[in-house]
Amino acid sequence: MNTNPSARPARSHPARRGLRTAAAVVAVAPFLALAACSGEAPITSATATTAPETGATAAPTGGETATGAPTTATTPGPSPTTLTTKGSIKDDVLGHVITPAKVVVNLPWPDNHPIAAEHFELVGVEVKVQAGSRYSANVTPDMFALKTSSPDPVPATNEFKGALGKELATVNRGKTGSGWLIFKVEKGSTTALELRFNRPAYDVKTTDKTIPAKSFSLKLTP
């Protein structure tokens, strides 16, 4: 069952969502309606938010790649660098498994972004997501952030609208999806990269059960 958010709050802290056992989606403002299996009692929650919390040298190629037109800046930027990574983020409560496949730093900027290119660097993280099947808690791109050597984690951006490759879309309950998460980070901050998955809190509507919010992290650089 899919989740129907009634409104998306400010991106400061994960808000609450809800899970249900019913076969039909039921939205309860300001909560979302989700479904639980195996006789689990109905639970509710609100839209997830992410606090501004992420090598052989070559841009990746293939069907799902992080690529783009060269920047329009007069001075050529560094070449894209692909970093190998291993490990997964596993949410044992909801059953989500997030596995980074590739990390690319110094992505070429799409056209019409010359000013931003002077101050920021683009990092792409290709991920495979297996959403858990126990609850109808979907995995959405706004749940991800990239921690660099700068103090504040950076949320994934959708401003490039697929210009750098197939971006990760919402992965529904029990489904598998893959795509790129694109992060716009400060130049020179990619020496340390850490992918974060921010799970929102969930409340059980008909019981006192609560699934607390939790931030999971995975180092992407040695």
Side-chain angles (χ1 to χ4, degrees):
M1 175 180 300
N2 295 332
T3 303
N4 295 325
S6 58
R8 185 174 298 278
R11 298 169 67 89
S12 56
H13 299 286
R16 295 189 179 278
R17 293 191 169 198
L19 311 177
R20 291 182 54 83
T21 54
V25 175
V26 180
V28 183
F31 298 104
L32 306 180
L34 309 178
C37 287
S38 304
E40 188 72 27
I43 49 185
T44 59
S45 90
T47 306
T49 58
T50 303
E53 301 234 316
T54 132
T57 56
T61 59
E64 296 182 2
T65 59
T67 60
T71 177
T72 55
T74 56
T75 303
S79 299
T81 300
T82 300
L83 310 177
T84 57
T85 185
K86 60 182 179 179
S88 299
I89 292 173
K90 298 179 180 180
D91 183 340
D92 293 334
V93 175
L94 297 182
H96 302 323
V97 180
I98 297 120
T99 305
K102 295 178 185 177
V103 180
V104 183
V105 298
N106 292 318
L107 280 173
W109 281 75
D111 290 332
N112 304 318
H113 293 276
I115 298 177
E118 295 179 2
H119 306 286
F120 297 97
E121 175 182 338
L122 296 181
V123 176
V125 180
E126 185 182 28
V127 294
K128 178 181 179 181
V129 176
Q130 173 63 60
S133 59
R134 182 179 183 187
Y135 301 109
S136 60
N138 302 333
V139 177
T140 57
D142 64 350
M143 294 178 179
F144 293 92
L146 188 69
K147 179 68 175 68
T148 68
S149 60
S150 296
D152 297 323
V154 178
T157 179
N158 62 357
E159 66 180 281
F160 301 110
K161 309 301 181 184
L164 295 169
K166 176 190 171 184
E167 296 180 12
L168 181 70
T170 295
V171 182
N172 295 325
R173 169 189 188 170
K175 302 295 183 180
T176 299
S178 61
W180 290 91
L181 295 166
I182 306 298
F183 302 93
K184 188 167 65 175
V185 305
E186 292 182 16
K187 277 192 172 182
S189 67
T190 58
T191 53
L193 298 177
E194 180 182 291
L195 181 65
R196 292 189 178 178
F197 171 66
N198 299 293
R199 182 187 76 197
Y202 295 87
D203 288 333
V204 181
K205 291 184 65 177
T206 56
T207 72
D208 294 330
K209 182 177 180 179
T210 296
I211 299 176
K214 184 175 180 179
S215 180
F216 302 81
S217 62
L218 178 68
K219 290 185 65 176
L220 301 178
T221 52

